[in-house]
Amino acid sequence: MDALSVPQLIFFCFVIIVSYAIRGSAGFGGVTVPLLALMMSLKTVVPMVTVLGILSSAIILRTEYRHIVWRDLWRVMPWCVLGVGLGVYFFKIIDARTLARMLGGFVLAYGLYSLWATFRRSLKVQLPMFAVTPLAGTLAGFVGTMFGSMAGMFFAIYLDMLRHGKNQFRATVAGILFGLGIFRGAGYIAVGEFTRDVVIACAVALPMMALGVFLGNRIHANLDDVLFKRLVAGVLILSGMPLLLR
């Protein structure tokens, strides 16, 4: 954080506000880490986003916890723990540059898929939940631990297949991400990844995160789902390409 220029610090604050406005409105987000990784080490960004994720989920759940579908939350959490364990191990042994390139490829692929999905006709594909639940939980735990804010999309797919309403979806995904954040945070502490830079980044980002969640809560009821999904997909595509070239 000390090495950031004034324009970079402004960009940092802007990304945090926009990212957590998205999270406040939808219950999850995925653009924080790809954008901040353009100018900061993932070894700093990912633990910082873990702390912000716990706090932002707690803010959402303060008023929305009554909408949580607890049955579906508890089914997926044990698989998240498995994914977190794998993610912490690989996060510790893989260098930041390789992590950035892996994230770039992952983000770009998912962004292209998300954009394509907004134009295709709705397909009613019935997949067995006994297979989807462990896969979604393990992947979310692993990817979330490796890349910070990317876990929510797996939970979004999981809950979308269960056809929950808007409020139940948002509250349940926030609850799952809160629990996942606790597990990830404990893992980072265990392997010594909460450094001085992470603490400083968290302190700078906290007010911006709070403002973003406040704005997201305001626009939650007025979301245009298709336009919103296309916007997020476009940001993911644009942010994934530079990471591949690092």
Side-chain angles (χ1 to χ4, degrees):
M1 283 297 295
D2 295 340
L4 294 184
S5 65
V6 173
Q8 287 176 325
L9 187 58
I10 293 172
F11 179 74
F12 173 88
C13 294
F14 174 77
V15 168
I16 295 295
I17 292 171
V18 172
S19 298
Y20 286 91
I22 293 173
R23 182 155 186 167
S25 60
F28 74 101
V31 299
T32 319
V33 175
L35 290 175
L36 293 184
L38 298 175
M39 62 179 188
M40 298 172 63
S41 169
L42 281 173
K43 295 288 186 176
T44 298
V45 174
V46 173
M48 178 202 74
V49 167
T50 298
V51 174
L52 298 183
I54 293 171
L55 296 176
S56 60
S57 292
I59 293 172
I60 294 170
L61 293 173
R62 183 175 59 88
T63 57
E64 300 296 322
Y65 70 92
R66 64 187 180 278
H67 295 301
I68 294 175
V69 184
W70 291 101
R71 178 187 65 255
D72 296 326
L73 183 150
W74 291 121
R75 283 176 178 171
V76 79
M77 288 310 297
W79 299 104
C80 293
V81 176
L82 173 61
V84 168
L86 294 171
V88 167
Y89 172 76
F90 284 102
F91 186 83
K92 181 66 177 178
I93 66 173
I94 297 176
D95 64 274
R97 186 174 181 180
T98 302
L99 277 175
R101 288 179 174 174
M102 290 172 63
L103 176 59
F106 184 81
V107 169
L108 181 60
Y110 181 72
L112 290 169
Y113 168 77
S114 298
L115 185 61
W116 170 77
T118 66
F119 291 99
R120 68 186 176 90
R121 293 181 179 179
S122 178
L123 297 176
K124 294 184 178 180
V125 179
Q126 296 293 331
L127 296 176
M129 293 308 297
F130 71 84
V132 172
T133 300
L135 183 63
T138 304
L139 284 175
F142 178 77
V143 173
T145 304
M146 292 284 286
F147 304 131
S149 61
M150 305 303 296
M153 62 186 179
F154 295 104
F155 298 132
I157 295 169
Y158 167 68
L159 294 175
D160 184 60
M161 292 181 67
L162 293 170
R163 304 186 186 282
H164 289 306
K166 183 178 179 180
N167 290 332
Q168 288 75 23
F169 179 99
R170 179 174 180 250
T172 306
V173 77
I176 295 173
L177 289 173
F178 178 82
L180 178 60
I182 296 294
F183 293 133
R184 282 164 46 195
Y188 294 139
I189 291 173
V191 297
E193 291 295 338
F194 272 108
T195 62
R196 174 178 174 273
D197 284 343
V198 174
V199 174
I200 293 173
C202 287
V204 175
L206 276 174
M208 310 305 154
M209 180 272 291
L211 176 59
V213 174
F214 172 79
L215 294 174
N217 284 334
R218 291 286 182 176
I219 65 175
H220 172 64
N222 301 310
L223 281 176
D224 181 329
D225 288 340
V226 174
L227 181 61
F228 174 77
K229 289 176 181 178
R230 289 175 181 172
L231 174 63
V232 173
V235 172
L236 289 172
I237 292 168
L238 291 175
S239 58
M241 289 187 290
L243 289 172
L244 280 173
L245 302 175
R246 286 188 61 170

